[in-house]
C-alpha cells in the first residue's frame, strides 16, 4: 500500500508540473508528457499482444508515436491552411504508411523474419503472410493506444485551432487548460469512486471473467460521482471572472458538462474493461511495472485512451456550432 501511495503521489506531482509548464511556459511541455505516455503504453501493448500470440513489431510501436506527434504538431501549426479535419486525415495516412513500412521491413530483412517464423514454430506460414499479419497486428497497436491517446495532443492545442474553430480566437489560452484537465479528471473520478463504491457496497459483478473486482454498485457509483464532481469542477472554474466569460462565449454550460462527463464515464469504464480483457488473454496481472504498486502506463491510462477522443469530439462539436 505504501509503495502504491508513493507512486500515486509522484505521478500526480509530475502531472501537476506538466500542467503548470503548459500554462506558464508552453503547450509543448505537455506534448512531451503525452508522447512519453504514448510510447511506453504502446510498448506495453506490444508485449501484451506478443503474449497472446499476436506477433508484432515492438520497435515500430515506439517509433510510430513519434511520427504521429510530429504529424499532429505540424498540422496544428499550419491550421490556417489545413484545418483540423485534414490534420487527422493525414495522421491516419501516417498510420497506414507506418503499417506498410512494418510489412516492408519484415520482407527486406527476410533472414530475421525466417528465424522468427522458425522460433515461433510457424513453418506452415509463408514469409509474405507472416509479414502481413505482423504489420496488421502492429497497426492495431498503432491505433490502440497510440493514436487514441494522441487526441490529448489535439486537446492540448485547442486554442491554436482558430481556423477550424473561429470562436476560440477570442478566448485566450484557458480553453485547452480546462478541457485537458476535464479529459484527465473524468476517468480519475470514475475509477476512484468505482473502486470506493464497489468496496463499500459490494454486490453483483459486471464481467467476472474479465475483471472480477468490478461490481454494478461500483460502476453506477463511479458514473454518478463523476458527473457530480465534474459539475463541481465547472462551478469552481466558473467562479473566476475570466473563466465565466470564456464559458459564456463558448456556450459551455453545466448541463453540457454533466452530459459529457456521464458519457465519458461510461466510455472510460469500457476502456478499463478492454485493457482488462487484453491482460487476461495475455495471462498477466499488469501491463508493466514502471509504476510500482500500479502496474504500467497502459494500466493507468486505459480509461483515458478511449475518453480522450470522445472529449475532443464532444467539445469540437460545441465549438464548431458557434
Amino acid at each position: 500500500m505504501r509503495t502504491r501511495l508513493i507512486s500515486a503521489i509522484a505521478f500526480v506531482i509530475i502531472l501537476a508540473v506538466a500542467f503548470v509548464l503548459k500554462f506558464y511556459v508552453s503547450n509543448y511541455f505537455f506534448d512531451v508528457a503525452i508522447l512519453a505516455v504514448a510510447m511506453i503504453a504502446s510498448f506495453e501493448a506490444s508485449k501484451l499482444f506478443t503474449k497472446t500470440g499476436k506477433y508484432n513489431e515492438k520497435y515500430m510501436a515506439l517509433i510510430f508515436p513519434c511520427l504521429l506527434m510530429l504529424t499532429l504538431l505540424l498540422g496544428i501549426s499550419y491550421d490556417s491552411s489545413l484545418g483540423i479535419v485534414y490534420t487527422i486525415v493525414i495522421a491516419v495516412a501516417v498510420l497506414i504508411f507506418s503499417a506498410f513500412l512494418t510489412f516492408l521491413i519484415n520482407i527486406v530483412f527476410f533472414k530475421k523474419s525466417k528465424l522468427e517464423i522458425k522460433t515461433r514454430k510457424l513453418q506452415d506460414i509463408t514469409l509474405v503472410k507472416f509479414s502481413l499479419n505482423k504489420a496488421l497486428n502492429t497497426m492495431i497497436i498503432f491505433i490502440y493506444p497510440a493514436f487514441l491517446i494522441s487526441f490529448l495532443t489535439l486537446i492540448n492545442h485547442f486554442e491554436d485551432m482558430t481556423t477550424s474553430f473561429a470562436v476560440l480566437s477570442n478566448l485566450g489560452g484557458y480553453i485547452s487548460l480546462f478541457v485537458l484537465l476535464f479529459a484527465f479528471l473524468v476517468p480519475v473520478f470514475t475509477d476512484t469512486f468505482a473502486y470506493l463504491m464497489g468496496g463499500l457496497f459490494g454486490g453483483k459483478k459486471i464481467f467476472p471473467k474479465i475483471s472480477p473486482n468490478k461490481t454494478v454498485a461500483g460502476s453506477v457509483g463511479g458514473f454518478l460521482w463523476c458527473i457530480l464532481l465534474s459539475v463541481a469542477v465547472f462551478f469552481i472554474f466558473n467562479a473566476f471572472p475570466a473563466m465565466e466569460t470564456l464559458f459564456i462565449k463558448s456556450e459551455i454550460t453545466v448541463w453540457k458538462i454533466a452530459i459529457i462527463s456521464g458519457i465519458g464515464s461510461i466510455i472510460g469504464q469500457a476502456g478499463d474493461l478492454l485493457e482488462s480483457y487484453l491482460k487476461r488473454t495475455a495471462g498477466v496481472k499488469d501491463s508493466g511495472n514502471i509504476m510500482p504498486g500500479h502496474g504500467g502506463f497502459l494500466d493507468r491510462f486505459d480509461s483515458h485512451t478511449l475518453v480522450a477522443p470522445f472529449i475532443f469530439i464532444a467539445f469540437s462539436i460545441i465549438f464548431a456550432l458557434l
Side-chain angles (χ1 to χ4, degrees):
M1 180 60 72
R2 182 180 178 183
T3 302
R4 184 180 178 89
L5 180 61
I6 293 173
S7 296
I9 293 174
F11 175 74
V12 171
I13 291 174
I14 293 172
L15 188 61
V17 169
F19 269 104
V20 170
L21 290 174
K22 164 187 165 52
F23 186 73
Y24 288 104
V25 184
S26 171
N27 287 337
Y28 294 111
F29 282 99
F30 214 98
D31 292 328
V32 173
I34 295 170
L35 177 59
V37 170
M39 290 178 67
I40 297 173
S42 294
F43 190 73
E44 291 174 348
S46 173
K47 292 193 297 182
L48 287 180
F49 265 61
T50 300
K51 288 180 181 294
T52 63
K54 301 292 184 181
Y55 34 86
N56 59 86
E57 194 61 60
K58 60 182 179 181
Y59 296 110
M60 283 300 294
L62 289 172
I63 294 172
F64 173 71
C66 300
L67 295 176
L68 181 61
M69 177 66 73
L70 179 62
T71 301
L72 292 176
L73 292 180
L74 287 174
I76 291 169
S77 65
Y78 288 99
D79 180 59
S80 58
S81 59
L82 292 177
I84 192 58
V85 174
Y86 292 104
T87 297
I88 295 176
V89 170
I90 294 173
V92 172
V94 170
L95 187 155
I96 296 173
F97 170 76
S98 298
F100 180 67
L101 183 61
T102 302
F103 173 77
L104 289 180
I105 289 173
N106 283 275
I107 290 293
V108 173
F109 297 99
F110 63 92
K111 289 185 178 180
K112 180 182 176 182
S113 298
K114 286 284 188 180
L115 178 62
E116 189 172 356
I117 291 173
K118 183 177 180 180
T119 303
R120 296 180 183 278
K121 298 180 180 180
L122 302 171
Q123 289 87 347
D124 294 335
I125 191 173
T126 64
L127 175 61
V128 173
K129 187 175 180 180
F130 172 80
S131 301
L132 181 60
N133 287 341
K134 196 171 184 180
L136 291 175
N137 290 334
T138 306
M139 186 168 70
I140 294 174
I141 296 169
F142 290 163
I143 298 172
Y144 177 88
F147 187 80
L148 298 176
I149 288 179
S150 70
F151 278 87
L152 290 173
T153 299
L154 298 179
I155 295 173
N156 187 38
H157 288 274
F158 250 136
E159 71 267 16
D160 297 327
M161 305 175 193
T162 53
T163 299
S164 299
F165 309 110
V167 66
L168 301 183
S169 59
N170 300 317
L171 297 182
Y174 292 97
I175 190 66
S176 66
L177 178 67
F178 172 77
V179 180
L180 190 61
L181 181 63
F182 187 62
F184 271 90
L185 289 179
V186 166
V188 171
F189 289 155
T190 302
D191 292 346
T192 301
F193 283 91
Y195 174 78
L196 293 176
M197 294 297 102
L200 182 62
F201 295 104
K204 185 178 181 181
K205 308 293 185 180
I206 301 180
F207 297 103
K209 292 184 178 180
I210 298 177
S211 186
N213 295 324
K214 288 181 173 57
T215 64
V216 174
S219 179
V220 174
F223 170 78
L224 295 176
W225 275 102
C226 177
I227 296 175
L228 180 62
L229 292 176
S230 296
V231 168
V233 169
F234 170 80
F235 281 120
I236 291 172
F237 272 83
N238 198 54
F240 296 93
M243 292 302 299
E244 181 183 17
T245 302
L246 181 149
F247 288 150
I248 292 174
K249 288 184 177 180
S250 59
E251 295 187 9
I252 296 177
T253 65
V254 64
W255 297 110
K256 290 178 181 178
I257 292 298
I259 293 171
I260 293 174
S261 63
I263 298 175
S265 177
I266 296 172
I267 293 175
Q269 293 186 57
D272 193 358
L273 287 170
L274 174 59
E275 202 246 352
S276 294
Y277 172 76
L278 289 176
K279 289 191 296 184
R280 190 155 294 274
T281 304
V284 298
K285 183 177 181 295
D286 299 316
S287 65
N289 55 11
I290 194 170
M291 296 180 66
H294 290 265
F297 269 21
L298 191 59
D299 292 316
R300 293 304 93 205
F301 287 90
D302 51 3
S303 298
H304 295 81
T305 300
L306 297 188
V307 170
F310 165 71
I311 294 294
F312 174 77
I313 293 171
F315 280 92
S316 294
I317 292 174
I318 292 175
F319 299 146
L321 293 178
L322 296 179

